[in-house]
Amino acid sequence: MPAPVSYNPPSKPVTVIQDTLTYLALGDSYTIGQSVPIDQAFPNQLANQLQGFKVNAPTIIARTGWTTDQLIEAIDKSDVKSNTYDVVTLLIGVNDQYGGLSQENYRVKFEQVLNTAIKFAGGIREHVFVLSIPDYGVTPFAHGNDAVIGPEIDQFNDINREISSNAKVNYVEITGISKLAAHDLSLLADDGLHPSGKMYGMWVDKLKVDVGAVFAKK
């Protein structure tokens, strides 16, 4: 089993001026909050907890099992593709790894969907927040295969981190938090795979500080 990963939540809240923000969340099962109540999904927790701001109900383009290619296709077919949003989050890639799709394909398609996310943000790169892919290898669903799954997830995250850095968008590392489930099953939903509301809350502890810091400068 992997060694425990420490988690230190941010200690100082960000003070910002009251405003109303629109929010688009792009992704897969981790974005819709598979196996937890909808209010516990991280986009809804973020919208409810962003201190000093009112956030409209998130617009979500995500579905369990989606690969990066499928997310791109869904965006192209959506009725919001010409809209812009104040905040855009992107978390995609676990199903590319799980389905055995090539890292080369992921590199091309992740860059494509990230550029689309930037367009959704009206071209304002600092309003886009990419989340790293969680490591499901530590969950009961993986049946002890973390020695294989973990390194592959890391490789996919190396790709999305590099592309995010080059694009000058925000990158929120939550993979370390996901590994805590190896020693704390309360961080998992009843399906033994997806995060519980508690884990999503830990992601939001990081996200809301990063998002708040960006908009506090406005």
Side-chain angles (χ1 to χ4, degrees), residues 82-101:
S82 61
N83 293 358
T84 57
Y85 298 84
D86 297 307
V87 178
V88 180
T89 58
L90 174 63
L91 169 49
I92 194 70
V94 69
N95 295 300
D96 297 68
Q97 180 276 330
Y98 180 73
L101 301 182

Side-chain angles (χ1 to χ4, degrees), residues 25-31 42 61-62 66 68 71 89-94 106 110 113 129-134 157 160 172 174-175 195 200 203:
L26 304 172
D28 50 34
S29 59
Y30 292 127
T31 296
F42 85 80
I61 303 178
W66 272 359
T68 310
L71 175 59
T89 58
L90 174 63
L91 169 49
I92 194 70
V94 69
Y106 180 65
F110 182 81
V113 77
F129 299 81
V130 173
L131 284 75
S132 64
I133 304 168
N157 278 329
N160 60 44
V172 185
I174 53 84
T175 309
Y200 283 132
W203 298 6

